[in-house]
Amino acid sequence: IGGIMAGMGAFATRFIGDGTVIAPAPLIHLHRAHMDVLSSEDIDDPQEGVRHLRNQLIMNYCYGHQESNLLLFPYSPVFNYLNHDGKNPNAELRWSTMSEHKSDWLDRTPDEILEEPFSGLIMELVATRNISRGEEVVIDYGSRWEAAWNEHVANWKYAEFKP
């Protein structure tokens, strides 16, 4: 993205035809509030003076709507290496057609899914055109993500570690 390298990337080890499922990804459903890193200055009453420090790093790998408590984390090694290309993606995410995918969950509310004690949703990474051996597999993260990334790059400052 704009000459800034981030992420390791996922590269095709063989030719992948248009429409081919590259990798399935079962999804763990997580509650957004569980991704908060909190701190309290009061040792005697940790509920007093609680402040939000940041989000868990796992948030970088979750899918979800900004106004929803439901986050979906793909536990498939390929998904963690996917990089963004908003101009020329060669793959996309789709709901799985595998029998293990509980497609009826898609008619539930986010809160109903969060009540489930086990995983049931599966996505698939699918080629949207032919992908050559050695070519990076990329998806479009969306314009909001790209704008946030560009803002981060523009404002990021290198900080030296000082022990």
Side-chain angles (χ1 to χ4, degrees):
I1 304 169
I4 304 294
M5 296 300 294
M8 296 179 66
F11 294 85
T13 58
R14 60 178 170 74
F15 171 83
I16 301 170
D18 184 8
T20 301
V21 173
I22 300 168
L27 302 166
I28 297 173
H29 47 275
L30 304 168
H31 196 289
R32 185 178 298 274
H34 298 163
M35 300 300 105
D36 294 338
V37 177
L38 306 173
S39 177
S40 172
E41 302 293 326
D42 191 335
I43 294 172
D44 296 324
D45 185 3
Q47 299 302 315
E48 187 67 31
V50 174
R51 60 189 172 95
H52 183 268
L53 296 178
R54 64 185 170 279
N55 292 319
Q56 298 281 350
L57 289 178
I58 196 172
M59 287 279 292
N60 292 340
Y61 302 97
C62 289
Y63 299 95
H65 189 277
Q66 67 181 12
E67 295 178 19
S68 174
N69 286 327
L70 176 64
L71 295 172
L72 301 172
F73 174 74
Y75 56 103
S76 172
V78 172
F79 278 66
N80 296 336
Y81 292 107
L82 290 174
N83 284 324
H84 167 74
D85 186 334
K87 294 181 175 62
N88 192 28
N90 54 19
E92 66 183 10
L93 302 177
R94 297 181 188 165
W95 291 114
S96 178
T97 57
M98 297 171 62
S99 61
E100 295 83 1
H101 171 65
K102 300 186 181 315
S103 58
D104 60 307
W105 285 24
L106 300 176
D107 295 323
R108 296 182 181 185
T109 67
D111 288 335
E112 289 172 334
I113 293 172
L114 286 166
E115 290 174 9
E116 288 292 342
F118 54 87
S119 298
L121 297 174
I122 302 172
M123 293 189 94
E124 294 173 339
L125 179 64
V126 179
T128 55
R129 62 169 175 78
N130 291 340
I131 302 172
S132 301
R133 183 176 187 265
E135 184 178 354
E136 185 174 11
V137 178
V138 290
I139 62 174
D140 182 354
Y141 292 1
S143 59
R144 287 192 60 238
W145 180 91
E146 189 165 346
W149 173 258
N150 290 337
E151 181 180 341
H152 166 75
V153 170
N155 296 318
W156 184 81
K157 305 275 189 275
Y158 174 77
E160 271 191 50
F161 176 73
K162 296 177 184 176

